[in-house]
Amino acid sequence: NAGVTQTPKFRVLKTGQSMTLLCAQDMNHEYMYWYRQDPGMGLRLIHYSVGEGTTAKGEVPDGYNVSRLKKQNFLLGLESAAPSQTSVYFCASTKSGVRYYEQYFGPGTRLTVT
Amino acid sequence: SQKIEQNSEALNIQEGKTATLTCNYTNYSPAYLQWYRQDPGRGPVFLLLIRENEKEKRKERLKVTFDTTLKQSLFHITASQPADSATYLCALQGGYQKVTFGIGTKLQVIP
């Protein structure tokens, strides 16, 4: 199993450009998440999905959109990139159910907006 | 608002000693608390989960305690090794498997 994969690993954008980050998981997990991690701020939830075709806002959703057309994929879009979106982005997935389960993280995407 | 506090300063410890990391939280009544390890340039990796009705959980050299009265969790690594050097994240569990993370404590084990 590859677990959670993210593409690309690195990207540099100019202000105003758009891009899509792709997250894929092969563990048949229902729930998927997008986080950003900034120095001194920790991991913050951007958007999440509890199943195919559903998405919801997290703590810091402004400037981002997401889609979950297939269960194994979760896309994060930046429509008009801003320098404040320079960050490391992590995707994670976990099982659903009444118990609580650990989250599996991808390797991250380092995005710089100039 | 909910708040998780971890000592943001790095913790330096001699090899072989026990490292103790602290996680405090406010305005939260978590049923579960998790600890993750993160190495530079990589995503967090799950280590341990402890439930509110469990006082202590162990896994090999790792031990986690959870005191819901003090609103605190302690994370211990016994017989620490240089390979244990990493940032350790405390996380509180919410609905829809949503997890709120602390900023982490960087541990440096000195040979």
Side-chain angles (χ1 to χ4, degrees):
Chain A
N1 285 352
V4 179
T5 57
Q6 292 182 234
T7 52
K9 287 186 167 47
F10 302 93
R11 185 73 186 267
V12 178
L13 285 180
K14 291 189 186 325
T15 298
Q17 287 184 321
S18 63
M19 76 164 294
T20 300
L21 283 68
L22 172 63
C23 174
Q25 52 94 5
D26 61 1
M27 297 173 282
N28 202 35
H29 286 168
E30 285 292 334
Y31 295 174
M32 296 186 74
Y33 311 83
W34 275 107
Y35 295 90
R36 60 177 289 174
Q37 187 174 39
D38 304 289
M41 300 290 291
L43 284 159
R44 291 182 292 168
L45 183 64
I46 304 171
H47 286 279
Y48 65 100
S49 169
V50 300
E52 183 179 316
T54 70
T55 63
K57 294 180 181 179
E59 181 186 354
V60 288
D62 294 342
Y64 305 95
N65 57 74
V66 288
S67 64
R68 182 102 180 266
L69 299 179
K70 293 183 179 180
K71 185 177 183 179
Q72 64 268 33
N73 295 337
F74 195 27
L75 279 64
L76 178 72
L78 284 73
E79 294 172 341
S80 178
S84 61
Q85 294 177 304
T86 293
S87 187
V88 181
Y89 292 85
F90 288 101
C91 175
S93 71
T94 190
K95 300 178 189 178
S96 64
V98 294
R99 282 186 53 208
Y100 286 95
Y101 301 98
E102 65 270 28
Q103 296 199 351
Y104 292 81
F105 282 81
T109 295
R110 186 172 294 275
L111 174 67
T112 302
V113 182
T114 60
Chain B
S1 61
Q2 298 165 357
K3 194 173 179 183
I4 302 173
E5 291 181 348
Q6 291 186 261
N7 190 348
S8 59
E9 293 180 8
L11 176 65
N12 295 322
I13 193 162
Q14 208 69 33
E15 182 178 3
K17 300 291 186 185
T18 297
T20 298
L21 284 66
T22 303
C23 173
N24 295 301
Y25 58 92
T26 55
N27 297 325
Y28 207 103
S29 296
Y32 299 82
L33 188 146
Q34 301 181 3
W35 283 88
Y36 289 76
R37 169 183 172 140
Q38 187 173 22
D39 291 285
R42 310 189 84 135
V45 174
F46 172 79
L47 295 174
L48 281 169
L49 178 152
I50 187 166
R51 296 172 175 76
E52 62 177 345
N53 59 353
E54 295 177 318
K55 296 296 183 188
E56 183 179 297
K57 198 82 170 279
R58 291 176 185 261
K59 179 182 176 183
E60 298 173 350
R61 294 185 296 112
L62 308 181
K63 185 178 86 171
V64 172
T65 62
F66 192 12
D67 188 326
T68 54
T69 301
L70 290 179
K71 294 188 181 297
Q72 182 182 80
S73 175
L74 299 179
F75 178 80
H76 306 272
I77 305 176
T78 58
S80 58
Q81 304 166 0
D84 295 326
S85 299
T87 297
Y88 291 86
L89 309 176
C90 166
L92 302 181
Q93 193 91 43
Y96 289 119
Q97 308 284 8
K98 285 169 62 178
V99 173
T100 302
F101 288 87
I103 64 172
T105 298
K106 185 174 181 180
L107 173 67
Q108 188 76 32
V109 180
I110 304 163

